[in-house]
Amino acid sequence: MSDNPAIDPTAVPSGAGCAECDAVGGWWFHLRRCALCGHIGCCDSSPSQHASAHAAASGHPVITSFEPGEAWFWSYPDEQFYESGPDLAGPEHHPLDQPTPGPAGRVPADWRQHIHQ
Ligand SMILES: [Zn+2]
Ligand SMILES: [Zn+2]
């Protein structure tokens, strides 16, 4: 993984939340980080699935978790899971005071009914 051309360890995260959800006032369940450009997007359980949408639209094939305590990587084209990967530019996860689902104030009370299983 360390010299994988789909990973740029110098790319910084695009923000503390999903880039597209933040643009429209949406919310997410978990966050994923594009290992190539640093785009932060929401996971496939989230209502809008922006991490996968970014990978499909950009061709950037590898994501890693942006959740505290998670270090795994996932390659879309290979459907390959990795327990860990190279160290990337910080921050390594979203702020600890940002709730899951998040962000604070934008999650509907019936959020469980909007999660993709
Ligand atoms: Zn999103
Ligand atoms: Zn990307």
Side-chain angles (χ1 to χ4, degrees):
M1 290 284 283
S2 59
D3 44 7
N4 190 320
I7 296 174
D8 179 358
T10 70
V12 298
S14 60
C18 172
E20 287 85 0
C21 285
D22 275 343
V24 298
W27 61 276
W28 53 80
F29 188 45
H30 289 138
L31 294 173
R32 308 299 180 227
R33 170 183 183 167
C34 174
L36 186 56
C37 74
H39 171 271
I40 300 299
C42 50
C43 72
D44 284 349
S45 296
S46 302
S48 301
Q49 305 177 321
H50 286 126
S52 289
H54 170 77
S58 67
H60 299 169
V62 178
I63 57 168
T64 183
S65 180
F66 202 50
E67 294 298 315
E70 296 186 359
W72 56 262
F73 284 65
W74 171 258
S75 171
Y76 285 101
D78 305 326
E79 297 191 336
Q80 179 72 47
F81 179 86
Y82 300 88
E83 296 283 346
S84 63
D87 288 335
L88 305 180
E92 296 179 354
H93 52 72
H94 67 72
L96 292 173
D97 62 358
Q98 181 175 287
T100 298
R106 295 214 303 255
V107 182
D110 64 345
W111 65 269
R112 284 182 176 81
Q113 296 177 21
H114 300 278
I115 292 291
H116 296 273
Q117 300 298 330

